[in-house]
Amino acid sequence: MTSTDSAATDNAQKAPAKDPWDLPDVSGLVVGVLGGTGPQGKGLAYRLAKAGQKVIIGSRAADRAQAAAEELGHGVEGADNAETARRSDIVIVAVPWDGHGKTLESLREELAGKLVVDCVNPLGFDKKGAYALKPEEGSAAEQAAALLPDSRVTAAFHHLSAVLLQDPEIDEIDTDVMVLGEVRADVEIVQALAGRIPGMRGIFAGRLRNAHQVESLVANLISVNRRYKAHAGLRVTDV
């Protein structure tokens, strides 16, 4: 090894680790919300648009999406799901679990090359309350990744109260958002997007293979909410 090679090696070894809170500027990105007329999607659209993000909400029926967009204000637009996917840089999937696979399969072409954020929680309900379902692929996020091979799939925004998101009297949402994904740069974009909403932080929480337990935790939060008449969220300590 030459002295030049040795010096280069030493410099590489001494290079400081990237600050995990050094996140990209996402303010200029267009965010589409599939299922944007449902409580969770509508609440996320409202919060992001209120923070200054350009938001398009999607629905199977364009007129329904447009009516919801007018109700939300803050420059939100409404379109059918396909147009929403085409026009957006980041696409949040907030559709009901029972329509998750079919919706994504039908939008594979429109979602190609897009950063997809899956926030769907596969849950069942019976007389004992909410319980987690386990999709064949392992999780809703992994199902999305299997159905969208040309998209960059991440998972986030699972644990947010739709009631709090939609309440105009609440200025800050006191919670952390667990973000999962395979590519660090994609995860950091989603973390930064979460951080646009006052009170929120985006926290890296592992790869997509760990999405099932994050999705499943919503069943526990539903139990918390029912017992304590609350809208519980999560905070990750010591980070």
Side-chain angles (χ1 to χ4, degrees), residues 117-195:
V117 186
D118 201 300
C119 71
V120 175
N121 303 302
L123 297 176
F125 295 86
D126 60 19
K127 289 186 289 186
K128 294 182 179 180
Y131 60 95
L133 304 174
K134 189 157 188 180
E136 182 179 344
E137 298 84 355
S139 63
E142 289 170 295
Q143 183 184 88
L147 292 172
L148 304 173
D150 298 320
S151 302
R152 297 140 53 208
V153 176
T154 59
F157 300 116
H158 302 90
H159 306 138
L160 306 181
S161 163
V163 173
L164 297 185
L165 287 172
Q166 294 185 82
D167 189 342
E169 300 299 317
I170 295 176
D171 294 324
E172 294 190 2
I173 307 291
D174 180 22
T175 192
D176 286 331
V177 173
M178 300 178 80
V179 185
L180 302 96
E182 301 301 318
V183 179
R184 179 166 182 167
D186 292 338
V187 169
E188 289 180 344
I189 289 171
V190 181
Q191 287 181 262
L193 187 66

Side-chain angles (χ1 to χ4, degrees), residues 14-29:
K14 294 176 182 177
K18 186 180 184 299
D19 181 352
W21 296 111
D22 180 15
L23 301 174
D25 178 8
V26 297
S27 59
L29 299 179

Side-chain angles (χ1 to χ4, degrees), residues 12-99:
Q13 291 173 343
K14 294 176 182 177
K18 186 180 184 299
D19 181 352
W21 296 111
D22 180 15
L23 301 174
D25 178 8
V26 297
S27 59
L29 299 179
V30 178
V31 178
V33 184
L34 304 181
T37 59
Q40 191 81 354
K42 198 172 182 181
L44 277 169
Y46 171 68
R47 289 291 163 178
L48 289 169
K50 190 176 180 181
Q53 209 75 33
K54 176 59 187 174
V55 177
I56 306 170
I57 59 175
S59 176
R60 286 177 296 178
D63 56 350
R64 186 179 175 196
Q66 289 159 1
E70 289 178 13
E71 182 184 337
L72 291 176
H74 297 285
V76 176
E77 294 183 41
D80 64 37
N81 282 331
E83 183 179 348
T84 297
R86 281 193 297 267
R87 292 178 55 195
S88 302
D89 302 302
I90 304 173
V91 179
I92 297 173
V93 181
V95 300
W97 166 241
D98 58 6

